[in-house]
Amino acid sequence: MTSDHTTDLRSDSLEARARRHLWLHFTRMSSYQGNDVPVIVRGSGQYVYDTRGKRYLDGLSGLFVSQIGHGRTEVAEAGARQAAELAYFPLWSYAHPRAIELAERLAALAPGDLNRVFFTTSGSEAVESAWKMAKQYFKTIGEPGRFKVLSREIAYHGTSLGALAITGLPPLKTPFEPLPAGGVRVPNTNFYRAPGFVADDATAFGRWAADEIERAILREGPDSVAAVYLEPVQNSGGCFPPPPGYFPRVREICDRYGVLLVSDEVICAFGRLGYYFGSERYGYQPDVITFAKGITSGYAPLGGMMVSDRLMEPFSDGPATFLHGVTFAGHPVSAAVALANLDVFEKEDLLGNVRANEDAFRATLAKLTDLPIVGDVRGDGYFYGIEMVKEKTTRETFTAEESERLLRGFLSHALYDAGLICRADDRGDPVIQLAPPLTCTQEHFDEMEQILRSVLTEAWKLI
Ligand SMILES: Cc1ncc(COP(=O)(O)O)c(C=O)c1O
């Protein structure tokens, strides 16, 4: 263990108090018995700082959240002003100005006729709300048998029990089974690991992966399938962009069988891919978009779903009430913060910054492919995954034990100690994920590349 992770002996230190009382998410708490919990105390621009004043490049935007970067007082002040004016009022039967303004603004930005916004506080709630809406919609229009949801292998769609049933990661699910019925898996678009018969042809691979959705619908019975959930770029597994033709084909299949296409853009919206919505980038029209994270750049929590006019019809024109809601959804402070966040996007042309610099980001990360451990660098916009392999030519991956040693035993700590916040993940094959603030430029790309180069070089020696 390096000196940065030695135990802080002062029992009143933040690190010690965290160890005693805080339960970290998705964290093996026993690993902090002899080590400090990393405590981040402030942020400024693309960087965050720990209790000792050490600086880290935030290569993951916290958790795919901090699009505009840290320490933006104009956004913080918009939240404070709103709290003074109207701190809270529910969206249950009432509206408030910021929720109205934000819904209107999102409707103007979203593709096609996604004109209706149902707010939540998180991405999991957004995903689960869309499933509940789809189920009630179909019951209301006289297709009560439609309840199943298709989603892709290894895809993460959240942790509440409904969202977890849609998530495609078995190890995250088994402790909580039985889950709500209806989750069905289809292949993802990991071209690096494509089946042999389409391994050399991205278009054929895309066609095959989309057609697997049709096969699953037919296998399950078209009258039982409500929706397909897809991220524009699948995060979990290490950034799988859609192969050419994939989404148009999926759209065709959904239309053929009357299945809703839910674009889960909890990560991919709000500039991550250089557009307000990832579906815009790849030119497809969803029936529902789920969002969270970047809509506020983390200055307050907010999520939601955007729904097409067609899906809204039974709820706006008939007696049906969507029997769903949460107390803090569309919180006035969060809505005010989201509006101020979108003002920053416009004022600083953050989408333009991502589009202008994404090739340079890709090229800088691609330099790492000269390392023996780097098998694949993939992604779009400001969203990349670097897959690590044991043997490059055969693409052989690590055993579970090697991966444990590599990721939890070395990389996670080493990257943090070297001053880079990113994610070393083995929910699929081992990858490092990067999703920096949209304000980043070449100097930040270079810093990421240099830190990764030195840490991955060390990691290779341990294998
Ligand atoms: C695609 C996707 N959907 C849903 C979620 C769940 O969002 P939350 O953690 O806000 O509940 C996430 C979280 O990372 C996500 O990446």
Side-chain angles (χ1 to χ4, degrees):
M1 205 48 59
T2 69
S3 60
D4 280 319
H5 278 276
T6 50
T7 306
D8 192 317
L9 296 173
R10 286 171 39 224
S11 63
D12 62 343
S13 71
L14 281 172
E15 287 79 1
R17 287 152 64 197
R19 205 158 43 216
R20 174 70 188 91
H21 293 294
L22 202 55
W23 198 341
L24 303 180
H25 297 208
F26 281 112
T27 302
R28 189 181 297 168
M29 291 305 290
S30 61
S31 68
Y32 288 119
Q33 272 169 10
N35 302 310
D36 280 349
V37 174
V39 181
I40 299 297
V41 294
R42 73 180 182 90
S44 174
Q46 299 86 1
Y47 294 90
V48 293
Y49 298 81
D50 71 10
T51 43
R52 299 170 179 88
K54 184 175 167 187
R55 189 178 92 153
Y56 302 83
L57 175 57
D58 187 0
L60 203 66
S61 300
L63 196 56
F64 313 98
V65 167
S66 309
Q67 318 293 72
I68 61 172
H70 300 274
R72 308 293 294 246
T73 49
E74 68 267 50
V75 179
E77 281 161 7
R81 273 196 308 277
Q82 181 59 44
E85 184 181 307
L86 177 70
Y88 174 71
F89 220 71
L91 291 179
W92 299 42
S93 307
Y94 305 95
H96 56 74
R98 297 302 92 74
I100 299 165
E101 290 159 15
L102 182 59
E104 185 178 44
R105 193 155 168 186
L106 291 174
L109 295 176
D113 70 340
L114 301 185
N115 290 319
R116 189 67 64 161
V117 186
F118 183 94
F119 286 113
T120 65
T121 58
S122 72
S124 298
E125 282 174 5
V127 163
E128 197 151 323
S129 299
W131 193 8
K132 287 182 77 173
M133 184 278 301
K135 282 173 145 179
Q136 195 181 342
Y137 167 79
F138 282 120
K139 285 193 164 63
T140 307
I141 66 162
E143 299 185 51
R146 287 190 189 266
F147 72 97
K148 293 178 188 166
V149 195
L150 273 52
S151 58
R152 296 183 291 198
E153 282 155 3
I154 319 179
Y156 181 86
H157 292 286
T159 48
S160 57
L161 290 175
L164 196 57
I166 301 172
T167 286
L169 288 152
L172 262 52
K173 296 155 75 110
T174 39
F176 310 106
E177 284 169 344
L179 294 172
V184 177
R185 289 300 85 71
V186 292
N188 58 45
T189 59
N190 181 0
F191 187 51
Y192 188 65
R193 302 265 174 217
F197 58 93
V198 283
D200 298 323
D201 182 344
T203 306
F205 172 61
R207 175 84 178 208
W208 169 80
D211 285 350
E212 282 297 302
I213 292 177
E214 180 169 35
R215 278 189 274 280
I217 292 172
L218 291 171
R219 196 169 56 238
E220 295 295 325
D223 295 348
S224 72
V225 180
V228 180
Y229 276 66
L230 305 171
E231 292 167 87
V233 172
Q234 180 173 322
N235 169 48
S236 195
C239 280
F240 306 146
Y246 178 76
F247 274 114
R249 181 78 177 158
V250 171
R251 182 68 266 179
E252 236 175 83
I253 292 165
C254 287
D255 289 342
R256 186 173 313 143
Y257 298 103
V259 170
L260 305 182
L261 174 52
V262 180
S263 190
D264 184 356
E265 307 207 10
V266 167
I267 289 178
C268 291
F270 303 109
R272 182 55 51 209
L273 299 171
Y275 292 77
Y276 279 111
F277 294 97
S279 38
E280 241 185 303
R281 175 171 182 136
Y282 301 116
Y284 65 94
Q285 180 61 46
D287 299 297
V288 181
I289 289 178
T290 50
F291 63 84
K293 296 191 185 261
I295 187 168
T296 60
S297 285
Y299 287 77
L302 186 66
M305 63 170 167
M306 305 203 61
V307 172
S308 71
D309 289 336
R310 176 176 70 90
L311 292 180
M312 189 61 202
E313 230 173 76
F315 299 100
S316 54
D317 297 350
T321 301
F322 183 32
L323 294 168
H324 183 56
V326 282
T327 301
F328 284 141
H331 192 284
V333 170
S334 302
V337 157
L339 288 162
N341 181 47
L342 293 175
D343 288 345
V344 173
F345 270 66
E346 279 179 21
K347 235 177 12 219
E348 299 180 11
D349 188 22
L350 292 185
L351 303 184
N353 191 54
V354 173
R355 291 187 207 177
N357 288 308
E358 67 172 312
D359 289 344
F361 187 27
R362 179 194 299 270
T364 307
L365 294 178
K367 288 189 206 165
L368 295 167
T369 53
D370 66 353
L371 299 175
I373 196 172
V374 173
D376 196 24
V377 175
R378 56 192 177 235
D380 272 330
Y382 273 19
F383 189 26
Y384 274 87
I386 298 169
E387 179 164 340
M388 292 164 288
V389 288
K390 197 154 83 176
E391 219 285 294
K392 247 168 130 112
T393 46
T394 59
R395 303 186 180 184
E396 184 188 351
T397 193
F398 299 94
T399 63
E401 189 202 318
E402 288 165 339
S403 177
E404 168 81 15
R405 198 153 32 92
L406 178 68
L407 265 64
R408 275 166 285 276
F410 178 72
L411 275 176
S412 296
H413 296 314
L415 287 163
Y416 183 72
D417 289 350
L420 178 63
I421 308 277
C422 59
R423 184 170 192 176
D425 189 16
D426 62 353
R427 288 179 296 179
D429 295 309
V431 290
I432 291 173
Q433 285 181 285
L434 295 164
L438 311 183
T439 51
C440 283
T441 54
Q442 188 62 47
E443 62 177 302
H444 308 106
F445 308 152
D446 287 338
E447 190 176 339
M448 285 183 243
E449 194 270 340
Q450 281 150 23
I451 292 176
L452 286 164
R453 176 170 295 281
S454 88
V455 172
L456 287 172
T457 303
E458 285 308 303
W460 185 247
K461 293 179 192 158
L462 299 175
I463 293 163

